[in-house]
């Protein structure tokens, strides 16, 4: 899974990336700070099934802290997008190519309204304008790809020709057909006019790459501003967050200065007056909002928008272990509706090909290959493969 962090320059994209990956990247208050994409691993969080089972896990592909599983996902933060990017302005097509493989997009906006669409200071800009601009630029980019191949598309009866042309965008045939049907379009012998191509491109973008809005710099605005943005952008999930405060918290924790307990900061070392003032500022924010919103951002996009669940494959259904004795070694993200056999194929092709049945380790019951997995299932795959 790959989540793309996008937005106009100077909205806090790189700060958000650092906050969710603990990777230090170049952060400055100027446009085009990010030139090459920053790639890293972030974590979605979920209560581990260990407590339900009465065991203590020792995970391999994730980590578990105080009963919470931290499950890795891939994220990429790309150069700031400006109007005209699809024509090569700013970082242009380089930016757009960097997000082609994303499964979903986080559009970062400056909720304080203190930066314009170019990333420069302004007194009272409308953050919602950034969302419209970003979606418009990506739409134009997709439309340009289709227009470049319209002569081929207009001659072919192959329903999958459009998917092949858009293969770099990680869109499925189902997505293409669903969007075409919704718009009353045929995908054979395509001869759409420019307006139709743009309508199709925008609908395909929103279908194939779900979007969540990170209303950043929450510590610099009043709560009613976020509510106004949610109303303006009611077609999207909008989550208020402060990437800057989250990053400050993570760095202070990593340096051993503080720890978080019950949404409150506990100081572990002597602080300077400047550090103490910063901690007081963060504490006031947490008293008001309980969270910086950053973790909720990732969890919402993975679990609520992309509709993933967590399952735990094991080899011993009684001890919940793999063949090395690791308890609940892997937590795997799968789409809702995934079957036991599809999970087997995800683990190894031979395991899926030679699967006989599965065992629900919680209930100690045999289930069929077409069993639809449920959230927090602990599953053993039984296969004839050696």
């Amino acid at each position: 899974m790959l989540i793309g962090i996008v937005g106009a320059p100077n909205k806090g994209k790189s700060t958000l990336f650092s906050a969710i990956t603990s990777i230090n990247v170049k952060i400055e208050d100027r446009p085009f700070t990010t030139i090459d994409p920053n790639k890293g691993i972030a974590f979605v969080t979920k209560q581990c099934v260990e407590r339900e089972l009465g065991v203590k896990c020792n995970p391999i592909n994730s980590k578990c802290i105080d009963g919470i599983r931290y499950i890795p996902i891939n994220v990429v933060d790309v150069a700031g997008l400006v109007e005209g990017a699809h024509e090569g302005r700013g970082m242009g097509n380089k930016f757009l190519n960097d997000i082609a493989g994303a499964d979903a997009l986080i559009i970062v906006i400056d909720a304080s309204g203190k930066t314009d669409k170019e990333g420069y200071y302004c007194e009272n800009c409308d953050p919602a304008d950034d969302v419209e601009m970003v979606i418009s630029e990506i739409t134009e980019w997709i439309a340009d790809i289709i227009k470049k191949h319209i002569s081929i598309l207009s001659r072919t009866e192959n329903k999958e020709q459009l998917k092949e042309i858009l293969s770099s965008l990680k869109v499925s045939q189902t997505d293409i057909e669903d969007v075409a049907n919704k718009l009353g379009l045929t995908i054979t012998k395509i001869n759409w006019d420019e307006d139709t191509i743009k309508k199709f491109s925008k609908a395909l973008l929103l279908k194939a790459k779900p979007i969540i809005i990170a209303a950043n710099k929450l510590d610099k605005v009043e709560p009613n501003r976020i509510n106004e943005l949610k109303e303006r952008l009611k077609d999207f999930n909008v989550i208020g967050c402060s990437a800057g405060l989250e990053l400050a918290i993570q760095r202070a924790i990593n340096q051993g200065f503080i720890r978080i307990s019950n949404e409150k900061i506990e100081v572990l070392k002597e602080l300077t007056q400047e550090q103490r003032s910063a901690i007081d500022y963060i504490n006031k924010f947490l008293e008001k909002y309980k969270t910086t919103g950053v973790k909720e951002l990732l969890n919402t996009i993975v679990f609520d928008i992309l509709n993933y669940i967590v399952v735990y494959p094991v080899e011993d259904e009684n001890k919940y272990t793999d063949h090395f004795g690791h308890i609940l070694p892997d937590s795997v993200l799968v789409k809702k509706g995934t079957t036991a056999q599809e999970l087997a194929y995800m683990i190894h092709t031979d395991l899926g090909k030679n699967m006989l049945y599965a065992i629900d380790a919680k209930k100690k019951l045999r289930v069929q290959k077409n069993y639809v997995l449920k959230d927090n299932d602990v599953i053993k795959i039984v296969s004839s493969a050696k």
Side-chain angles (χ1 to χ4, degrees):
M1 181 192 305
L2 177 64
I3 307 298
I5 301 175
V6 302
N10 203 20
K11 307 297 177 177
K13 296 182 287 78
S14 295
T15 305
L16 177 62
F17 176 85
S18 288
I20 62 178
T21 62
S22 296
I23 296 176
N24 291 328
V25 298
K26 194 172 183 181
I27 300 167
E28 298 178 15
D29 286 334
R30 62 183 179 86
F32 304 120
T33 298
T34 303
I35 296 175
D36 295 317
N38 297 311
K39 297 177 182 178
I41 303 296
F43 295 89
V44 291
T45 56
K46 200 170 190 300
Q47 187 160 321
C48 182
V49 76
E50 65 172 9
R51 292 182 179 178
E52 180 184 345
L53 299 176
V55 297
K56 183 68 188 83
C57 71
N58 49 336
I60 303 300
N61 79 331
S62 52
K63 56 185 178 179
C64 189
I65 302 173
D66 296 330
I68 301 297
R69 276 277 176 145
Y70 289 74
I71 306 164
I73 60 172
N74 296 300
V75 293
V76 58
D77 159 40
V78 296
L81 185 65
V82 295
E83 285 183 310
H86 71 283
E87 298 173 332
R89 185 165 178 262
M91 296 307 298
N93 289 331
K94 184 181 188 307
F95 162 91
L96 296 164
N97 290 333
D98 289 335
I99 63 163
D103 295 282
L105 302 174
I106 298 173
I107 297 181
V108 183
I109 61 176
D110 178 356
S112 71
K114 298 299 183 184
T115 49
D116 64 18
K117 290 186 290 185
E118 301 286 322
Y120 296 107
Y121 176 81
C122 65
E123 187 56 40
N124 191 27
C125 291
D126 187 349
D129 289 344
D130 288 1
V131 177
E132 182 180 343
M133 184 272 290
V134 169
I135 291 174
S136 175
E137 287 300 322
I138 302 175
T139 295
E140 293 281 3
W141 175 56
I142 297 171
D144 283 347
I145 295 173
I146 296 174
K147 284 187 280 187
K148 286 176 184 175
H149 295 87
I150 199 68
S151 61
I152 296 172
L153 292 168
S154 66
R155 297 193 304 267
T156 182
E157 293 277 2
N158 181 4
K159 291 178 65 176
E160 297 204 355
Q161 184 68 53
L162 184 55
K163 176 178 177 290
E164 292 174 17
I165 285 169
L166 299 175
S167 60
S168 65
L169 298 179
K170 203 174 180 179
V171 297
S172 69
Q173 184 66 21
T174 300
D175 288 336
I176 289 172
E177 291 182 7
D178 286 349
V179 170
N181 289 336
K182 185 176 180 180
L183 297 176
L185 301 173
T186 177
I187 54 174
T188 59
K189 291 193 172 182
I190 294 172
N191 194 23
W192 305 333
D193 60 25
E194 188 166 328
D195 186 54
T196 302
I197 291 174
K198 287 181 181 179
K199 286 180 180 177
F200 174 85
S201 298
K202 181 177 182 179
L204 183 63
L205 166 64
L206 297 177
K207 171 80 172 175
K209 298 189 186 300
I211 289 169
I212 190 170
I213 310 300
N216 194 28
K217 307 185 184 181
L218 181 59
D219 54 306
K220 303 183 188 310
V221 302
E222 291 300 317
N224 65 312
R225 184 68 180 263
I226 300 298
N227 292 333
E228 290 170 4
L229 281 171
K230 287 181 178 180
E231 181 60 30
R232 288 279 312 279
L233 300 168
K234 56 188 175 184
D235 292 335
F236 302 96
N237 275 279
V238 178
I239 293 184
C241 66
S242 176
L245 294 191
E246 178 65 28
L247 182 58
I249 291 169
Q250 292 302 321
R251 287 178 174 172
I253 290 173
N254 292 340
Q255 292 168 9
F257 284 105
I258 65 169
R259 68 182 174 193
I260 301 291
S261 179
N262 298 319
E263 287 105 27
K264 196 169 180 67
I265 294 175
E266 182 181 344
V267 177
L268 303 177
K269 291 183 179 180
E270 186 174 346
L271 303 177
T272 65
Q273 183 58 47
E274 184 180 7
Q275 289 170 330
R276 172 62 66 182
S277 296
I279 294 300
D280 289 343
Y281 181 80
I282 294 171
N283 260 329
K284 287 179 182 178
F285 179 87
L286 292 178
E287 285 173 7
K288 187 174 186 179
Y289 292 104
K290 308 301 181 188
T291 173
T292 63
V294 170
K295 291 184 178 67
E296 288 74 14
L297 192 64
L298 287 177
N299 283 358
T300 299
I301 200 165
V302 172
F303 297 125
D304 298 338
I305 297 178
L306 291 176
N307 289 317
Y308 276 81
I309 60 173
V310 180
V311 297
Y312 298 82
V314 297
E315 294 184 48
D316 186 327
E317 70 272 26
N318 297 306
K319 296 180 180 179
Y320 313 118
T321 59
D322 62 11
H323 63 283
F324 294 111
H326 298 114
I327 300 171
L328 300 171
D330 298 327
S331 47
V332 180
L333 290 166
V334 300
K335 280 271 195 180
K336 285 181 181 178
T338 298
T339 66
Q341 187 167 34
E342 288 169 335
L343 172 65
Y345 271 108
M346 290 170 63
I347 298 169
H348 196 283
T349 301
D350 287 343
L351 194 65
K353 189 184 299 183
N354 298 286
M355 180 180 174
L356 302 172
Y357 57 89
I359 296 175
D360 180 336
K362 289 182 180 179
K363 298 178 180 178
K364 305 298 187 285
L365 292 176
R366 179 184 296 196
V367 296
Q368 299 303 309
K369 292 187 285 187
N370 63 353
Y371 168 75
V372 177
L373 297 167
K374 300 188 298 295
D375 193 31
N376 272 354
D377 266 350
V378 182
I379 291 288
K380 174 182 178 177
I381 304 296
V382 180
S383 172
S384 62
K386 300 296 185 182

